[in-house]
Amino acid sequence: MSVKNRFQYQVATGRLTLPVAILLSLVFCGISFQGWESLGAWFMCACVTYLIIELNTTFALIRTRTSLPSAFFLVCFSVCPFLHTFGAGTFLPLLFIGMLFSLFRSFESPSASTTIYHAFCCVGIIGIIVPQTLYLTPVLYLLMIQLRSLNPRTFFAGVLGLLTPYWLGSCYLLYKGNWLETAQEFRQQLIPVIPDYNLLGWDQYLSLGILLVITLLCTAQSLTQTYQDKVQTRILLRTLMALEIIVIAFILLLPASFNGLFPMLLICASIFFGHFFALVFNRFTQISLWVILALLGIMTLFNVWTHFYTI
């Protein structure tokens, strides 16, 4: 470190970062407890927190040992009470990080067809929950070019993976006898509509605004440091950045699915947050870290106040 910043260093690489984040999340989740249905959302949060650790470890996205990405996700999720409800959208973060695992594994892999099938299968299930996200499919094929995994076999593996959930769902609907009505409703949801931002509350607006500031800052600064990474790591981070932009676009265009899409953005932001603050130590990061902590504090106080005010 050219400029000593012991606090940032301890937060980024210390062994207590994740335990402290777990303790804080338990406190905030206890404060915003909304009934037993909240347990499903918290279980999903715990699974994603662990999978972020595995994602970083498996693909070495950050060159040093750090639990900062998982701690960031855990704390941000816990201080957003509007996320602590259980529904179909609760599974979107798990499916998204499953897609990331499969997509990253396809990088120059001789058996990329299998991993691409799994990645597109996750996208297909996400499309069942939020049909408009199927427009992500062409972007994935473009990203496969960057990952050096696009060929005729992987192309058709992607098509099969995307269609598999719908084949299984069609069989179930045929058995139930309401296939036609469901298909018409699904097709109607694929038609773009004007976003209705009245569906969002002020806590969701503030949380999204603060997260966008953190995301854009950390992503831009992280990319300036990727020249020190391996070629594979640089490609994976650029792929993640492209998906991050797509998720932001979905959030802005689909406010009705905000609670399911917001944790997906949190996953992307947590990786770049950890990459930036675990690898760069200077006066700018020192100031930025305190500013970000202040913003998270403001978000926490406002969200908790809003939660009790609207009960």
Side-chain angles (χ1 to χ4, degrees), residues 3-28:
V3 178
K4 291 186 178 180
N5 186 350
R6 301 305 304 175
F7 176 73
Q8 180 190 341
Y9 181 79
Q10 290 298 328
V11 170
T13 62
R15 296 181 180 274
L16 293 178
T17 301
L18 187 57
V20 170
I22 293 174
L23 180 61
L24 291 175
S25 67
L26 290 175
V27 172
F28 291 129

Side-chain angles (χ1 to χ4, degrees), residues 57-69:
T57 302
T58 303
F59 302 103
L61 299 176
I62 303 175
R63 299 189 303 273
T64 185
R65 179 184 61 83
T66 179
S67 59
L68 197 54

Side-chain angles (χ1 to χ4, degrees), residues 201-212:
W202 286 110
D203 52 344
Q204 293 169 310
Y205 278 120
L206 179 68
S207 300
L208 177 60
I210 290 177
L211 185 61
L212 285 178

Side-chain angles (χ1 to χ4, degrees), residues 111-168:
S111 58
S113 298
T114 302
T115 58
I116 291 298
Y117 173 84
H118 293 154
F120 277 80
C121 190
C122 290
V123 174
I125 300 175
I126 292 175
I128 292 177
I129 301 173
V130 184
Q132 293 91 337
T133 56
L134 287 176
Y135 294 116
L136 173 65
T137 305
V139 178
L140 287 186
Y141 279 114
L142 293 177
L143 293 177
M144 286 166 59
I145 299 175
Q146 180 174 259
L147 293 169
R148 305 168 188 172
S149 59
L150 181 62
N151 56 55
R153 292 178 60 186
T154 56
F155 176 84
F156 288 106
V159 173
L160 289 175
L162 187 68
L163 293 179
T164 297
Y166 297 93
W167 285 339
L168 297 176

